[in-house]
Amino acid sequence: EPLRIVLFLLITISLIFAPAIADAIGAPAPEPIAGYWIGGAGSLALLARERDNRTRKLLRLEREGIVADLNLSLVKNVLVGGQQTISVRSLRNEKRLIAVCGVAKDLEKLEMLEFAPLQRRLEAARTIVVPIPTDQSMRRYGTSYAQASDLEEWRRVFQTLLTADQAWGSNFQFDQQNKAAFFVLGLNGRSVASGQGFPRLLELLGSRLPPIDPIQPQPQNIEFAPQAAFYSALKSGNIESMNALFGREDDAEVSAIIANGGRLDPWTSQLGPQSRPSELIIGDADLTIFDDVAITTAIEQNGLDPFQTLLATQRWTRVGEGEDDWRLFSHATVPFTPSAMAAALLRCDHRGCVLLVNQQQITR
């Protein structure tokens, strides 16, 4: 890149000042002059582009260095307790990092509904989550959250990033509506994702934060009966059982994809003889319940392709007092394989499933 800048600079000078250079060395005047000037203008435009790219990269490196000097506190031992203060720089080659800046009550809700249910998947991806509340201190830090050692310093750095230019990504601007933003650092300490609003954790795990080591799910008896019934209907193609599991509420994200031109495949199509995953292996299932909402997750593996593992989540809503009185609100699946970047996310509700193509910026 520096070499291209120098070359375009020399070409620009040579073309624009070609008549003067020719006169100085006693050479014939270049013809046609207009062609030289047009070529010089084109070279100047390329020079400006390369210079802007170089400036953005240098700014990005500078800001990544500033973030690397921030400190956070980690629990030394879950049983014994105690905290260890480390710098973000010391995480390189050991851990990834998600930093989320927003209102405290929203961060607490985010922890309950997204980060806590996917905590074991975050551990598989060696990822630490640091919440940065903008209004007050957090009332509680969930087990999936690390704590910023100097909250004011983290806020100041976030504010600098949010009010600067777009070097961290075209969408990394302060969102006045959601009042939230995030960035993600990879194992090498470099920024791999950023955006307005709160991160879509499932998509991040599939596209930017895949597991470090291979996952081999072992078939198991799923303890949460509604989740077991869902997979039984999915593998057998029982459309009546599937319809009975779902509630009638539309998933807003499925509706948004349809409104933007996405194709909805109904469950009758998904569960057809040629479409249903009859050889699917389900393992490593877990359950998280908060009031009237339950989040279940599982690792899926196609028996026909043992090297491809998927991360699936289901969101349930309580409709009664019985243990099995739950209705499925949404189901989502994303590839979750080491060193593989997911190309798409499958999201479903009672109407059927849509395919969401992965984008570089993953924001809500």
Side-chain angles (χ1 to χ4, degrees):
E1 199 168 62
L3 178 60
R4 289 198 299 269
I5 291 174
V6 173
L7 289 175
F8 285 133
L9 176 61
L10 293 176
I11 292 172
T12 300
I13 293 174
S14 300
L15 292 174
I16 292 179
F17 295 99
I21 296 173
D23 183 65
I25 62 176
E31 295 290 344
I33 294 298
Y36 280 80
W37 287 348
I38 292 173
S43 180
L44 182 61
L46 292 173
L47 170 64
R49 185 192 68 179
E50 294 296 331
R51 184 202 61 187
D52 291 344
N53 289 340
R54 183 65 177 173
T55 300
R56 282 195 295 269
K57 288 183 179 179
L58 291 175
L59 285 172
R60 184 169 178 170
L61 287 172
E62 178 185 355
R63 290 164 187 166
E64 288 170 348
I66 294 172
V67 171
D69 292 331
L70 295 171
N71 294 322
L72 53 92
S73 297
L74 298 176
V75 177
K76 287 184 177 180
N77 188 292
V78 176
L79 298 178
V80 178
Q83 291 188 326
Q84 175 187 15
T85 299
I86 61 175
S87 69
V88 173
R89 190 184 307 277
S90 67
L91 297 177
R92 290 181 179 176
N93 300 318
E94 296 292 335
K95 299 284 186 180
R96 296 157 167 157
L97 175 77
I98 302 175
V100 189
C101 183
V103 179
K105 64 179 181 62
D106 293 335
L107 292 173
E108 292 171 357
K109 181 179 179 181
L110 184 72
E111 197 275 337
M112 288 189 296
L113 295 180
E114 293 214 26
F115 288 113
L118 290 168
Q119 181 179 351
R120 290 200 295 129
R121 320 310 175 189
L122 288 167
E123 292 173 357
R126 295 187 195 172
T127 301
I128 295 173
V129 182
V130 183
I132 311 299
T134 57
D135 53 342
Q136 61 188 28
S137 297
M138 302 271 290
R139 290 176 299 175
R140 57 178 292 277
Y141 282 85
T143 55
S144 59
Y145 275 175
Q147 186 172 351
S149 297
D150 188 340
L151 192 56
E152 287 302 322
E153 183 66 13
W154 278 84
R155 288 171 177 167
R156 185 189 67 78
V157 170
F158 246 107
Q159 188 63 31
T160 299
L161 297 174
L162 292 168
T163 55
D165 63 20
Q166 300 179 3
W168 277 65
S170 59
N171 290 330
F172 201 68
Q173 297 294 314
F174 189 66
D175 187 341
Q176 292 293 339
Q177 180 177 0
N178 293 325
K179 296 187 181 301
F182 72 95
F183 63 80
V184 183
L185 302 181
L187 285 174
N188 60 0
R190 303 295 304 275
S191 173
V192 296
S194 60
Q196 303 175 53
F198 293 111
R200 295 178 181 271
L201 183 56
L202 185 62
E203 286 91 327
L204 277 175
L205 287 170
S207 62
R208 296 291 182 266
L209 304 172
I212 301 298
D213 300 315
I215 300 175
Q216 295 296 329
Q218 299 298 322
Q220 68 177 87
N221 293 322
I222 300 175
E223 296 182 2
F224 188 58
Q227 186 186 25
F230 167 76
Y231 278 112
S232 176
L234 183 67
K235 295 173 64 176
S236 65
N238 192 324
I239 185 64
E240 291 79 12
S241 296
M242 186 65 76
N243 287 335
L245 285 170
F246 270 102
R248 297 298 97 187
E249 185 179 355
D250 294 348
D251 182 356
E253 297 193 17
V254 172
S255 297
I257 296 171
I258 296 173
N260 284 290
R263 187 184 72 179
L264 176 70
D265 288 328
W267 281 107
T268 52
S269 173
Q270 293 288 326
L271 299 180
Q274 303 301 321
S275 302
R276 65 174 181 261
S278 57
E279 303 295 328
L280 194 67
I281 298 173
I282 301 98
D284 203 22
D286 57 15
L287 166 68
T288 305
I289 298 178
F290 293 104
D291 298 328
D292 293 333
V293 176
I295 309 293
T296 54
T297 75
I299 298 297
E300 302 176 354
Q301 185 180 65
N302 190 333
L304 303 177
D305 185 5
F307 300 102
Q308 178 68 51
T309 51
L310 307 171
L311 172 58
T313 67
Q314 298 89 32
R315 181 165 178 166
W316 307 79
T317 303
R318 190 190 298 273
V319 294
E321 298 300 325
E323 294 183 359
D324 299 336
D325 288 339
W326 296 89
R327 290 293 176 269
L328 184 57
F329 173 73
S330 64
H331 166 72
T333 304
V334 67
F336 195 52
T337 305
S339 304
M341 299 301 181
L345 165 79
L346 186 71
R347 187 176 291 277
C348 312
D349 66 4
H350 70 97
R351 295 168 290 178
C353 300
V354 293
L355 197 63
L356 179 66
V357 177
N358 174 47
Q359 297 180 353
Q360 182 175 0
Q361 298 297 329
I362 308 168
T363 61
R364 170 171 301 143

